[in-house]
Coordinates of all heavy atoms in Angstrom, one line a residue:
M16 N 1.5 -2.6 27.0 CA 1.2 -2.0 25.7 C 2.0 -0.7 25.6 O 2.0 0.1 26.4 CB -0.3 -1.7 25.7 CG -0.7 -1.0 24.4 SD -2.5 -0.5 24.3 CE -3.3 -2.1 24.5
S17 N 2.7 -0.6 24.4 CA 3.5 0.6 24.2 C 2.6 1.8 23.8 O 1.5 1.6 23.4 CB 4.5 0.3 23.1 OG 3.9 0.3 21.8
E18 N 3.2 2.9 23.8 CA 2.6 4.1 23.4 C 2.0 4.0 21.9 O 0.9 4.5 21.6 CB 3.6 5.3 23.5 CG 3.0 6.6 23.1 CD 4.1 7.7 23.2 OE1 4.8 7.9 22.3 OE2 4.1 8.3 24.3
R19 N 2.8 3.4 21.1 CA 2.4 3.3 19.7 C 1.2 2.3 19.5 O 0.3 2.5 18.7 CB 3.6 2.8 18.8 CG 4.5 4.0 18.5 CD 5.6 3.6 17.6 NE 6.6 2.6 18.1 CZ 7.5 2.8 19.1 NH1 7.6 4.0 19.6 NH2 8.3 1.9 19.4
E20 N 1.2 1.2 20.3 CA 0.1 0.3 20.3 C -1.2 0.8 20.8 O -2.3 0.4 20.4 CB 0.5 -1.0 21.1 CG 1.6 -1.8 20.4 CD 2.0 -2.9 21.3 OE1 1.8 -2.9 22.5 OE2 2.6 -3.9 20.8
A21 N -1.1 1.9 21.6 CA -2.3 2.5 22.2 C -3.1 3.4 21.1 O -4.1 3.9 21.4 CB -2.0 3.3 23.4
V22 N -2.5 3.6 20.0 CA -3.0 4.4 18.9 C -3.6 3.6 17.8 O -2.8 2.7 17.3 CB -2.0 5.4 18.4 CG1 -2.5 6.3 17.3 CG2 -1.5 6.3 19.6
S23 N -4.8 3.8 17.4 CA -5.4 3.0 16.3 C -4.6 3.2 15.0 O -4.1 4.3 14.7 CB -6.8 3.5 16.1 OG -7.4 2.9 14.9
S24 N -4.6 2.2 14.2 CA -3.9 2.2 12.9 C -4.9 2.3 11.7 O -4.6 2.3 10.6 CB -3.2 0.9 12.6 OG -2.1 0.8 13.5
G25 N -6.2 2.5 12.1 CA -7.2 2.7 11.0 C -7.7 1.4 10.5 O -7.4 0.3 11.0
P26 N -8.3 1.4 9.3 CA -8.5 2.5 8.4 C -9.5 3.6 9.1 O -10.3 3.2 9.9 CB -9.2 1.9 7.2 CG -9.7 0.6 7.6 CD -8.9 0.1 8.8
F27 N -9.3 4.8 8.6 CA -10.0 5.9 9.2 C -11.1 6.4 8.3 O -10.9 6.7 7.1 CB -9.0 7.0 9.5 CG -7.9 6.6 10.4 CD1 -6.6 6.4 9.9 CD2 -8.0 6.4 11.8 CE1 -5.6 6.0 10.7 CE2 -7.0 6.0 12.6 CZ -5.8 5.8 12.0
E28 N -12.3 6.6 8.9 CA -13.4 7.2 8.2 C -13.5 8.7 8.5 O -14.1 9.4 7.7 CB -14.7 6.5 8.5 CG -14.7 5.0 8.2 CD -14.5 4.7 6.7 OE1 -15.0 5.6 5.9 OE2 -13.9 3.7 6.3
V29 N -13.0 9.1 9.6 CA -13.0 10.5 10.1 C -11.6 10.8 10.6 O -10.8 9.9 10.9 CB -14.0 10.8 11.1 CG1 -15.4 10.6 10.5 CG2 -13.9 9.9 12.3
E30 N -11.3 12.1 10.8 CA -10.0 12.4 11.3 C -9.8 11.8 12.7 O -10.6 11.9 13.6 CB -9.9 13.9 11.5 CG -8.6 14.4 12.0 CD -8.4 15.9 12.1 OE1 -9.4 16.6 11.8 OE2 -7.4 16.4 12.4
P31 N -8.6 11.1 12.9 CA -8.4 10.4 14.2 C -7.9 11.4 15.2 O -7.2 12.3 14.9 CB -7.4 9.4 13.8 CG -6.6 10.0 12.7 CD -7.6 10.8 11.9
F32 N -8.3 11.1 16.5 CA -7.8 12.0 17.6 C -7.0 11.2 18.6 O -6.5 11.8 19.6 CB -9.0 12.6 18.3 CG -9.8 13.6 17.4 CD1 -10.9 13.2 16.8 CD2 -9.3 14.9 17.2 CE1 -11.6 14.1 16.0 CE2 -9.9 15.8 16.4 CZ -11.1 15.4 15.8
D33 N -6.8 9.9 18.4 CA -6.1 9.1 19.4 C -4.7 9.6 19.7 O -4.4 9.8 20.9 CB -6.0 7.6 18.9 CG -7.3 7.0 18.5 OD1 -8.3 7.5 18.9 OD2 -7.2 6.0 17.8
L34 N -3.9 9.9 18.7 CA -2.6 10.3 18.9 C -2.5 11.7 19.5 O -1.7 11.9 20.4 CB -1.8 10.3 17.5 CG -0.3 10.7 17.6 CD1 0.4 9.7 18.5 CD2 0.3 10.7 16.2
G35 N -3.4 12.6 19.1 CA -3.4 13.9 19.7 C -3.7 13.9 21.2 O -3.0 14.6 22.0
R36 N -4.6 13.1 21.6 CA -4.9 13.0 23.0 C -3.7 12.4 23.8 O -3.4 12.9 24.9 CB -6.2 12.1 23.3 CG -7.4 12.8 23.0 CD -8.6 12.0 23.5 NE -9.0 10.9 22.6 CZ -9.9 11.0 21.6 NH1 -10.5 12.1 21.4 NH2 -10.2 9.9 20.9
L37 N -3.1 11.4 23.2 CA -2.0 10.8 23.9 C -0.8 11.7 24.0 O -0.2 11.9 25.0 CB -1.5 9.5 23.1 CG -0.3 8.8 23.6 CD1 -0.7 8.0 24.9 CD2 0.2 7.8 22.6
L38 N -0.5 12.4 22.9 CA 0.7 13.3 22.9 C 0.5 14.6 23.6 O 1.5 15.2 24.0 CB 1.1 13.6 21.4 CG 1.5 12.4 20.6 CD1 1.9 12.8 19.2 CD2 2.6 11.6 21.2
S39 N -0.7 15.1 23.7 CA -0.9 16.4 24.3 C -1.0 16.4 25.8 O -1.0 17.4 26.4 CB -2.1 17.1 23.7 OG -3.3 16.4 24.0
A40 N -1.0 15.2 26.4 CA -1.1 15.1 27.8 C 0.2 15.7 28.4 O 1.3 15.2 28.3 CB -1.2 13.6 28.2
G41 N 0.0 16.8 29.1 CA 1.1 17.5 29.8 C 2.1 18.3 28.9 O 3.2 18.6 29.3
A42 N 1.7 18.5 27.6 CA 2.6 19.2 26.7 C 1.8 20.1 25.8 O 0.6 19.9 25.6 CB 3.4 18.2 25.9
T43 N 2.4 21.1 25.2 CA 1.8 22.0 24.3 C 2.8 22.3 23.2 O 4.0 22.1 23.3 CB 1.4 23.3 24.9 OG1 2.5 24.0 25.5 CG2 0.3 23.1 26.0
G44 N 2.3 22.9 22.1 CA 3.1 23.4 21.0 C 4.2 22.6 20.5 O 4.0 21.5 20.0
D45 N 5.4 23.1 20.5 CA 6.6 22.4 20.0 C 6.8 21.0 20.6 O 7.2 20.1 19.9 CB 7.8 23.3 20.1 CG 7.8 24.5 19.3 OD1 7.0 24.6 18.3 OD2 8.6 25.4 19.5
E46 N 6.5 20.9 21.8 CA 6.7 19.5 22.4 C 5.8 18.5 21.9 O 6.2 17.4 21.7 CB 6.6 19.6 24.0 CG 6.8 18.3 24.7 CD 8.1 17.6 24.4 OE1 9.1 18.3 24.1 OE2 8.2 16.4 24.4
V47 N 4.6 18.9 21.6 CA 3.6 17.9 20.9 C 4.1 17.6 19.6 O 4.1 16.4 19.2 CB 2.2 18.5 20.9 CG1 1.3 17.6 20.0 CG2 1.7 18.8 22.2
V48 N 4.7 18.5 18.8 CA 5.2 18.2 17.5 C 6.4 17.3 17.6 O 6.5 16.3 16.9 CB 5.7 19.5 16.7 CG1 6.4 19.2 15.5 CG2 4.4 20.4 16.4
R49 N 7.3 17.5 18.6 CA 8.5 16.6 18.8 C 8.0 15.2 19.2 O 8.5 14.2 18.7 CB 9.4 17.2 19.8 CG 10.3 18.3 19.3 CD 11.4 18.7 20.3 NE 10.8 19.3 21.5 CZ 10.5 20.6 21.7 NH1 10.6 21.4 20.6 NH2 10.0 21.1 22.8
R50 N 7.0 15.1 20.0 CA 6.4 13.8 20.4 C 5.8 13.1 19.2 O 6.0 11.9 19.1 CB 5.4 14.0 21.5 CG 5.9 14.3 22.9 CD 4.8 14.5 23.8 NE 5.3 14.9 25.2 CZ 4.6 15.0 26.2 NH1 3.3 14.8 26.2 NH2 5.1 15.4 27.4
S51 N 5.1 13.8 18.4 CA 4.5 13.3 17.2 C 5.6 12.7 16.2 O 5.5 11.6 15.7 CB 3.7 14.4 16.5 OG 3.1 13.8 15.3
E52 N 6.7 13.5 16.1 CA 7.8 13.0 15.2 C 8.4 11.7 15.8 O 8.6 10.8 15.1 CB 8.9 14.1 15.1 CG 10.1 13.7 14.3 CD 11.2 14.8 14.4 OE1 11.0 15.9 14.9 OE2 12.3 14.4 13.9
R53 N 8.6 11.7 17.1 CA 9.2 10.5 17.7 C 8.3 9.3 17.6 O 8.7 8.2 17.3 CB 9.5 10.7 19.2 CG 10.7 11.6 19.4 CD 11.2 11.6 20.9 NE 10.2 12.0 21.8 CZ 10.0 13.3 22.3 NH1 10.8 14.3 21.8 NH2 9.0 13.6 23.1
W54 N 7.0 9.6 17.7 CA 6.0 8.5 17.5 C 6.0 7.9 16.1 O 6.1 6.7 15.9 CB 4.6 9.0 17.8 CG 3.5 7.9 17.7 CD1 3.1 7.1 18.7 CD2 2.8 7.6 16.5 NE1 2.2 6.2 18.2 CE2 1.9 6.5 16.9 CE3 2.7 8.1 15.2 CZ2 1.0 6.0 15.9 CZ3 1.9 7.6 14.3 CH2 1.0 6.5 14.7
L55 N 6.0 8.8 15.1 CA 6.1 8.4 13.7 C 7.4 7.6 13.4 O 7.4 6.6 12.8 CB 5.9 9.6 12.8 CG 5.8 9.3 11.3 CD1 4.8 8.2 11.0 CD2 5.6 10.5 10.5
V56 N 8.5 8.2 13.9 CA 9.8 7.5 13.6 C 9.8 6.1 14.3 O 10.3 5.1 13.8 CB 11.0 8.4 14.1 CG1 12.3 7.6 14.2 CG2 11.1 9.6 13.2
G57 N 9.1 6.1 15.5 CA 9.0 4.8 16.2 C 8.2 3.8 15.4 O 8.5 2.6 15.3
V58 N 7.1 4.2 14.8 CA 6.3 3.3 14.0 C 7.1 2.8 12.8 O 7.1 1.6 12.4 CB 5.0 4.1 13.5 CG1 4.3 3.3 12.3 CG2 4.0 4.3 14.6
L59 N 7.8 3.7 12.1 CA 8.7 3.3 11.0 C 9.7 2.3 11.5 O 10.0 1.3 10.8 CB 9.4 4.5 10.4 CG 8.4 5.5 9.7 CD1 9.0 6.8 9.4 CD2 7.9 4.8 8.4
G60 N 10.3 2.5 12.7 CA 11.3 1.6 13.2 C 10.7 0.2 13.5 O 11.3 -0.8 13.3
D61 N 9.5 0.2 14.1 CA 8.7 -1.0 14.4 C 8.5 -1.8 13.1 O 8.5 -3.1 13.2 CB 7.4 -0.8 15.0 CG 7.5 -0.2 16.5 OD1 8.6 -0.3 17.0 OD2 6.5 0.2 17.0
A62 N 8.4 -1.1 12.0 CA 8.1 -1.8 10.7 C 9.4 -2.1 10.0 O 9.4 -2.5 8.8 CB 7.3 -0.9 9.8
D63 N 10.6 -1.9 10.7 CA 11.9 -2.2 10.1 C 12.2 -1.4 8.9 O 12.9 -1.8 8.0 CB 12.1 -3.7 9.8 CG 12.1 -4.6 11.1 OD1 12.6 -4.1 12.1 OD2 11.5 -5.7 11.0
V64 N 11.7 -0.1 8.9 CA 12.1 0.8 7.8 C 13.4 1.5 8.2 O 13.5 2.1 9.3 CB 11.0 1.9 7.6 CG1 11.4 2.9 6.6 CG2 9.7 1.2 7.2
E65 N 14.4 1.3 7.4 CA 15.7 2.0 7.6 C 15.6 3.4 7.3 O 15.1 3.8 6.2 CB 16.8 1.3 6.8 CG 18.2 1.8 7.1 CD 19.2 1.1 6.3 OE1 19.0 0.0 5.8 OE2 20.3 1.6 6.2
L66 N 16.0 4.3 8.2 CA 15.8 5.7 8.0 C 17.2 6.4 7.8 O 18.1 6.2 8.6 CB 15.1 6.4 9.1 CG 13.6 5.9 9.4 CD1 13.1 6.6 10.6 CD2 12.8 6.2 8.2
G67 N 17.3 7.3 6.8 CA 18.4 8.2 6.7 C 18.1 9.5 7.2 O 16.9 9.8 7.7
A68 N 19.0 10.4 7.2 CA 18.8 11.8 7.7 C 17.7 12.5 7.0 O 16.8 13.1 7.7 CB 20.1 12.6 7.6
A69 N 17.6 12.4 5.7 CA 16.5 13.0 4.9 C 15.1 12.4 5.3 O 14.1 13.1 5.4 CB 16.7 12.9 3.4
D70 N 15.1 11.1 5.5 CA 13.9 10.4 5.9 C 13.4 11.0 7.3 O 12.2 11.3 7.5 CB 14.1 8.9 6.1 CG 14.5 8.2 4.8 OD1 13.8 8.4 3.8 OD2 15.5 7.5 4.9
R71 N 14.3 11.2 8.2 CA 13.9 11.8 9.5 C 13.4 13.2 9.4 O 12.5 13.6 10.0 CB 15.1 11.7 10.5 CG 15.4 10.3 10.9 CD 16.6 10.2 11.9 NE 16.9 8.8 12.2 CZ 16.2 8.1 13.2 NH1 15.2 8.6 13.8 NH2 16.6 6.9 13.4
E72 N 14.0 14.0 8.5 CA 13.6 15.3 8.2 C 12.2 15.3 7.7 O 11.3 16.2 8.1 CB 14.5 16.0 7.3 CG 15.9 16.4 7.9 CD 16.8 17.1 6.9 OE1 16.3 17.7 5.9 OE2 18.0 17.0 7.1
I73 N 11.9 14.4 6.8 CA 10.5 14.4 6.2 C 9.5 13.9 7.3 O 8.4 14.4 7.3 CB 10.5 13.4 5.0 CG1 11.3 14.0 3.9 CG2 9.0 13.2 4.5 CD1 10.9 15.4 3.4
A74 N 9.9 13.0 8.1 CA 9.0 12.6 9.3 C 8.7 13.8 10.1 O 7.6 13.9 10.6 CB 9.7 11.5 10.1
A75 N 9.7 14.6 10.3 CA 9.5 15.9 11.1 C 8.5 16.8 10.4 O 7.7 17.4 11.1 CB 10.8 16.6 11.4
V76 N 8.6 16.9 9.1 CA 7.7 17.8 8.3 C 6.3 17.2 8.4 O 5.3 17.9 8.7 CB 8.1 17.9 6.9 CG1 7.1 18.5 6.0 CG2 9.4 18.6 6.7
V77 N 6.1 15.9 8.3 CA 4.8 15.2 8.4 C 4.2 15.5 9.8 O 3.1 15.9 10.0 CB 4.9 13.7 8.1 CG1 3.6 13.0 8.5 CG2 5.2 13.5 6.6
A78 N 5.0 15.3 10.8 CA 4.6 15.5 12.2 C 4.2 16.9 12.5 O 3.2 17.2 13.2 CB 5.7 15.1 13.2
A79 N 4.9 17.9 11.9 CA 4.6 19.3 12.1 C 3.3 19.7 11.4 O 2.7 20.7 11.8 CB 5.7 20.1 11.5
D80 N 2.9 18.9 10.4 CA 1.6 19.1 9.8 C 0.4 18.8 10.6 O -0.7 19.1 10.3 CB 1.5 18.4 8.4 CG 0.5 19.0 7.5 OD1 0.3 20.2 7.5 OD2 0.0 18.2 6.7
G81 N 0.6 18.1 11.7 CA -0.4 17.8 12.7 C -0.4 16.3 13.1 O 0.0 15.4 12.3
W82 N -0.8 16.1 14.3 CA -0.7 14.7 14.8 C -1.7 13.8 14.1 O -1.4 12.6 14.0 CB -0.9 14.7 16.4 CG -2.0 15.6 16.8 CD1 -1.9 16.8 17.4 CD2 -3.4 15.4 16.8 NE1 -3.1 17.4 17.7 CE2 -4.1 16.5 17.3 CE3 -4.2 14.3 16.3 CZ2 -5.4 16.6 17.4 CZ3 -5.6 14.4 16.4 CH2 -6.2 15.6 17.0
S83 N -2.8 14.3 13.6 CA -3.7 13.4 12.9 C -3.1 12.9 11.6 O -3.3 11.8 11.1 CB -5.0 14.0 12.6 OG -4.9 15.2 11.8
V84 N -2.3 13.8 10.9 CA -1.5 13.4 9.7 C -0.5 12.4 10.0 O -0.4 11.3 9.3 CB -0.9 14.7 9.1 CG1 0.0 14.3 7.9 CG2 -1.9 15.7 8.6
A85 N 0.2 12.6 11.1 CA 1.2 11.6 11.5 C 0.5 10.2 11.9 O 1.0 9.2 11.5 CB 2.0 12.1 12.8
Q86 N -0.7 10.3 12.5 CA -1.4 9.0 12.9 C -1.8 8.3 11.6 O -1.7 7.1 11.5 CB -2.5 9.3 13.8 CG -3.2 8.0 14.2 CD -4.3 8.2 15.2 OE1 -4.5 9.3 15.8 NE2 -5.1 7.2 15.4
V87 N -2.3 9.0 10.6 CA -2.8 8.4 9.4 C -1.6 7.8 8.6 O -1.7 6.6 8.2 CB -3.6 9.4 8.5 CG1 -3.9 8.8 7.1 CG2 -4.9 9.7 9.2
V88 N -0.5 8.5 8.5 CA 0.6 8.0 7.8 C 1.2 6.8 8.6 O 1.6 5.8 8.0 CB 1.7 9.1 7.6 CG1 3.0 8.5 7.1 CG2 1.2 10.2 6.7
G89 N 1.3 6.9 9.9 CA 1.7 5.8 10.7 C 0.8 4.6 10.5 O 1.2 3.4 10.5
G90 N -0.5 4.8 10.4 CA -1.5 3.8 10.2 C -1.2 3.1 8.9 O -1.3 1.8 8.8
W91 N -0.9 3.8 7.8 CA -0.6 3.2 6.5 C 0.6 2.3 6.7 O 0.6 1.2 6.2 CB -0.3 4.3 5.5 CG -1.4 5.2 5.1 CD1 -2.8 5.0 5.3 CD2 -1.3 6.4 4.5 NE1 -3.5 6.0 4.8 CE2 -2.6 6.9 4.3 CE3 -0.2 7.2 4.0 CZ2 -2.9 8.2 3.7 CZ3 -0.5 8.4 3.4 CH2 -1.8 8.9 3.2
V92 N 1.6 2.8 7.3 CA 2.8 2.0 7.5 C 2.5 0.7 8.3 O 3.0 -0.4 7.9 CB 3.9 2.8 8.2 CG1 5.1 1.9 8.6 CG2 4.4 4.0 7.3
R93 N 1.8 0.8 9.4 CA 1.5 -0.3 10.2 C 0.6 -1.3 9.5 O 0.9 -2.5 9.5 CB 0.8 0.1 11.5 CG 1.8 0.9 12.4 CD 1.1 1.6 13.5 NE 0.7 0.6 14.6 CZ 0.0 0.9 15.6 NH1 -0.4 2.2 15.8 NH2 -0.3 0.0 16.5
R94 N -0.4 -0.8 8.7 CA -1.2 -1.8 8.0 C -0.5 -2.4 6.8 O -0.7 -3.6 6.6 CB -2.5 -1.0 7.5 CG -3.4 -0.6 8.7 CD -4.8 -0.2 8.2 NE -4.9 0.7 7.1 CZ -5.0 2.1 7.2 NH1 -5.0 2.7 8.4 NH2 -5.1 2.8 6.1
A95 N 0.3 -1.7 6.1 CA 1.1 -2.2 5.0 C 2.1 -3.2 5.5 O 2.4 -4.2 4.8 CB 1.8 -1.1 4.3
G96 N 2.7 -3.0 6.7 CA 3.7 -3.9 7.2 C 3.1 -5.1 8.0 O 3.8 -5.9 8.5
G97 N 1.8 -5.1 8.1 CA 1.2 -6.2 8.9 C 1.4 -6.1 10.4 O 1.2 -7.1 11.1
V98 N 1.7 -4.9 10.9 CA 1.8 -4.7 12.3 C 0.4 -4.9 12.9 O -0.5 -4.2 12.5 CB 2.4 -3.3 12.6 CG1 2.5 -3.1 14.1 CG2 3.8 -3.2 12.0
P99 N 0.2 -5.8 13.9 CA -1.1 -6.0 14.4 C -1.7 -4.7 15.1 O -0.9 -4.0 15.8 CB -0.9 -7.1 15.4 CG 0.5 -7.3 15.6 CD 1.2 -6.6 14.5
V100 N -3.0 -4.5 14.9 CA -3.7 -3.4 15.5 C -4.2 -3.9 16.8 O -4.9 -4.9 16.8 CB -4.8 -2.9 14.6 CG1 -5.6 -1.8 15.3 CG2 -4.2 -2.4 13.3
T101 N -3.9 -3.3 17.9 CA -4.4 -3.8 19.2 C -5.5 -3.0 19.8 O -6.0 -3.3 20.8 CB -3.2 -3.8 20.2 OG1 -2.7 -2.5 20.4 CG2 -2.1 -4.7 19.8
V102 N -5.9 -1.9 19.2 CA -7.0 -1.1 19.7 C -8.2 -1.4 18.8 O -8.2 -1.3 17.6 CB -6.6 0.5 19.5 CG1 -7.8 1.3 20.0 CG2 -5.4 0.8 20.3
A103 N -9.3 -1.8 19.5 CA -10.5 -2.0 18.8 C -11.3 -0.8 18.7 O -11.4 0.0 19.6 CB -11.3 -3.1 19.6
R104 N -11.8 -0.5 17.5 CA -12.7 0.7 17.2 C -14.0 0.2 16.7 O -14.1 -0.6 15.8 CB -12.0 1.6 16.2 CG -10.6 2.1 16.7 CD -10.0 2.9 15.6 NE -10.7 4.1 15.2 CZ -10.6 5.3 15.8 NH1 -9.8 5.4 16.9 NH2 -11.2 6.3 15.4
E105 N -15.1 0.7 17.2 CA -16.4 0.3 16.8 C -17.3 1.5 16.5 O -17.5 2.3 17.4 CB -17.1 -0.5 18.0 CG -18.5 -0.9 17.7 CD -19.2 -1.5 19.0 OE1 -18.5 -1.6 20.1 OE2 -20.4 -1.8 18.9
P106 N -17.7 1.6 15.3 CA -18.6 2.8 15.0 C -19.9 2.6 15.7 O -20.5 1.5 15.6 CB -18.8 2.7 13.4 CG -17.8 1.6 13.0 CD -17.4 0.8 14.1
V107 N -20.3 3.6 16.4 CA -21.6 3.5 17.1 C -22.7 4.5 16.6 O -23.8 4.3 16.9 CB -21.4 3.7 18.6 CG1 -20.6 2.6 19.2 CG2 -20.8 5.0 18.9
A108 N -22.2 5.5 15.8 CA -23.1 6.4 15.2 C -22.3 7.2 14.2 O -21.1 7.2 14.2 CB -23.7 7.4 16.2
P109 N -22.9 7.9 13.2 CA -22.1 8.6 12.2 C -21.2 9.6 12.9 O -21.6 10.4 13.7 CB -23.2 9.3 11.4 CG -24.4 8.5 11.5 CD -24.3 7.9 12.9
G110 N -19.9 9.5 12.7 CA -18.9 10.3 13.3 C -18.5 10.0 14.7 O -17.8 10.7 15.3
V111 N -19.1 8.9 15.3 CA -18.8 8.6 16.6 C -18.3 7.1 16.7 O -18.9 6.2 16.1 CB -20.1 8.6 17.5 CG1 -19.8 8.2 19.0 CG2 -20.7 10.0 17.5
T112 N -17.1 7.0 17.3 CA -16.4 5.7 17.3 C -16.1 5.4 18.8 O -15.6 6.2 19.5 CB -15.2 5.7 16.5 OG1 -15.5 6.0 15.1 CG2 -14.5 4.3 16.5
R113 N -16.4 4.2 19.2 CA -16.0 3.7 20.5 C -14.7 3.0 20.4 O -14.5 2.2 19.6 CB -17.0 2.7 21.1 CG -16.7 2.2 22.5 CD -17.8 1.3 23.0 NE -19.1 1.8 22.6 CZ -20.2 1.0 22.5 NH1 -20.1 -0.3 22.7 NH2 -21.3 1.5 22.2
V114 N -13.7 3.4 21.3 CA -12.4 2.8 21.3 C -12.3 2.0 22.5 O -12.6 2.5 23.6 CB -11.3 3.9 21.2 CG1 -9.9 3.3 21.3 CG2 -11.5 4.8 20.0
G115 N -11.8 0.8 22.4 CA -11.7 0.0 23.6 C -10.9 -1.3 23.4 O -10.4 -1.6 22.5

């Protein structure tokens, strides 16, 4: 399972934390932002979205806004492109989701 497949694609009822937990392992600050950007660009690449320089700059802006923003945008791309979701999410209580 790739790093991107380990992150839920939604739909999201609450702010997702999957990507943040994955990207922040052993990193802080700017490195987490760079990892978030690489993750989002990877999701776009998996969906066969051709990127130009300006597209990559906007991906960097989205990633800099927070990993949850990048995860939601990446989830839209994956769901719109029919990329299969491999992470099962089960609501178990209001605001609590089991991932497995």
